[in-house]
Amino acid sequence: MNSLTTKAYAKINLGLDVLRKREDGYHDLCMIMQTIDLYDVVTLEKTPLDKILVRTNLSYLPTDRRNLVYKAAQAFMERFSISSGIKITLEKNIPVAAGLAGGSADAAATLCLLNEMFQTGLTREELMHLGVTLGADVPYCILTGTALSEGIGEILTPLKRMPDCTILLVKPDISVSTRYVYGNLKLTPHIHHPDITAMKKAIETGSLKGLTSHMDNILQTVTVPRYPVIKEIKHQMKKLGAMTALMSGSGPTVFGIYKNPLTAEKACEYFRRNDPEKQVFLTKPSWPDR
């Protein structure tokens, strides 16, 4: 196996709650995560050079130790004392810094490919344990599917598949700092927390209406006032027939849940026609095999 290729899938947060700030500076979270059918393509190749090479189709992405894929390969190869050279090629389709875990998905895919290529025999749980040292979303991106995520994101419980739907993604042409969002989150006694328990029950009963009626993201209390375009996109999605619209992660990508695929296609056409500066994708929930 001198060359292997896999897909690295994006995620959205169907619900995101922050419970408390921890003494180590991180936050305890409670989220419901969902993989979507939007993905990067990751290819690994053995090379005669004794180093890690990263190549990508986006000229502005770093390809050195600042890239999470490089860090993933370095951590894995150091653990198993692998001296072979590796070339990692990223075909990026997931928007960068968008709240969709593109970097974490690429790192997760890299760990899975290295495990296969060098036949190191790590279980999925062992790969997830290694992944959390790279980033809080990496373990989920190894698990994929519909899952409850707790702790800083490393405590994962698979859930029943969310009901079928069509998902519209719109990423405005802005960048949002995750550090800024969490640093300015005020967990006051009166802040509204998403009802994650009600969302879980809706998923268990297969009720898309029940799920969408409870979907919420506490980080919107910070991001929306700072970036009003997020509120505008949410409003327009609902006006165009979305059952609900929500920011994913710390933003800025907004996703709308549509029961009717034709309604979603019309909304997609609207955003592509009227907002050429925004990245627009029409997708659906996904449950990749790992």
Side-chain angles (χ1 to χ4, degrees):
M1 291 183 289
N2 292 319
S3 178
L4 291 171
T5 298
T6 193
K7 297 173 180 177
Y9 289 83
K11 64 81 187 170
I12 55 174
N13 300 88
L14 300 179
L16 194 163
D17 194 13
V18 180
L19 306 180
R20 65 189 67 83
K21 186 172 182 179
R22 298 155 45 128
E23 292 184 0
D24 60 9
Y26 290 96
H27 290 78
D28 278 325
L29 310 174
C30 187
M31 307 179 287
I32 294 183
M33 315 274 270
Q34 177 61 53
T35 313
I36 56 174
D37 194 27
L38 172 65
Y39 53 83
D40 296 338
V41 179
V42 182
T43 300
L44 259 65
E45 300 172 77
K46 291 181 181 179
T47 72
L49 301 175
D50 185 18
K51 59 181 177 179
I52 299 168
L53 298 174
V54 178
R55 298 291 180 264
T56 174
N57 57 324
L58 300 182
S59 60
Y60 55 84
L61 277 187
T63 56
D64 54 16
R65 289 175 175 82
R66 292 171 293 170
N67 192 302
L68 198 58
V69 159
Y70 189 106
K71 293 179 180 178
Q74 186 176 47
F76 188 96
M77 295 172 78
E78 286 179 354
R79 172 168 176 172
F80 291 100
S81 301
I82 296 170
S83 58
S84 173
I86 288 293
K87 179 182 176 182
I88 307 168
T89 303
L90 303 179
E91 179 188 318
K92 291 293 296 179
N93 302 301
I94 303 170
V96 176
L100 300 173
S104 294
D106 294 340
T110 298
L111 292 177
C112 292
L113 286 179
L114 286 167
N115 190 43
E116 182 179 356
M117 177 173 281
F118 292 100
Q119 299 181 328
T120 42
L122 292 185
T123 64
R124 185 170 64 178
E125 289 70 25
E126 289 170 329
L127 284 169
M128 290 163 63
H129 185 72
L130 177 58
V132 77
T133 65
L134 301 166
D137 280 338
V138 177
Y140 167 74
C141 291
I142 293 171
L143 178 67
T144 70
T146 313
L148 176 69
S149 174
E150 299 174 283
I152 64 170
E154 84 286 12
I155 304 171
L156 296 165
T157 305
L159 301 176
K160 184 179 176 181
R161 294 187 175 196
M162 75 169 290
D164 289 337
C165 63
T166 302
I167 301 171
L168 175 62
L169 299 176
V170 177
K171 180 192 179 293
D173 189 24
I174 58 174
S175 297
V176 176
S177 165
T178 300
R179 178 173 292 185
Y180 169 84
V181 173
Y182 278 96
N184 287 274
L185 179 64
K186 308 298 182 185
L187 294 175
T188 64
H190 303 292
I191 194 171
H192 172 74
H193 288 269
D195 192 342
I196 302 296
T197 300
M199 292 179 60
K200 286 173 56 183
K201 290 180 179 178
I203 290 172
E204 289 168 2
T205 59
S207 172
L208 185 60
K209 183 177 180 180
L211 175 61
T212 55
S213 67
H214 289 99
M215 285 169 53
D216 201 358
N217 180 347
I218 200 171
L219 299 183
Q220 292 181 144
T221 60
V222 178
T223 313
V224 169
R226 178 71 181 264
Y227 303 98
V229 66
I230 294 173
K231 183 178 180 180
E232 294 168 9
I233 295 171
K234 290 176 59 182
H235 174 75
Q236 192 60 45
M237 282 186 176
K238 292 177 182 178
K239 188 176 178 181
L240 293 169
M243 298 178 71
T244 194
L246 197 67
M247 183 183 78
S248 184
S250 56
T253 301
V254 177
F255 66 92
I257 302 291
Y258 290 81
K259 186 174 183 179
N260 187 321
L262 294 178
T263 304
E265 289 176 9
K266 290 179 180 179
C268 180
E269 291 172 4
Y270 170 87
F271 280 104
R272 285 177 174 165
R273 183 175 62 250
N274 292 281
D275 297 288
E277 294 184 354
K278 296 179 175 62
Q279 296 181 66
V280 183
F281 304 88
L282 202 60
T283 183
K284 59 185 178 180
S286 178
W287 292 270
D289 292 329
R290 282 292 189 208

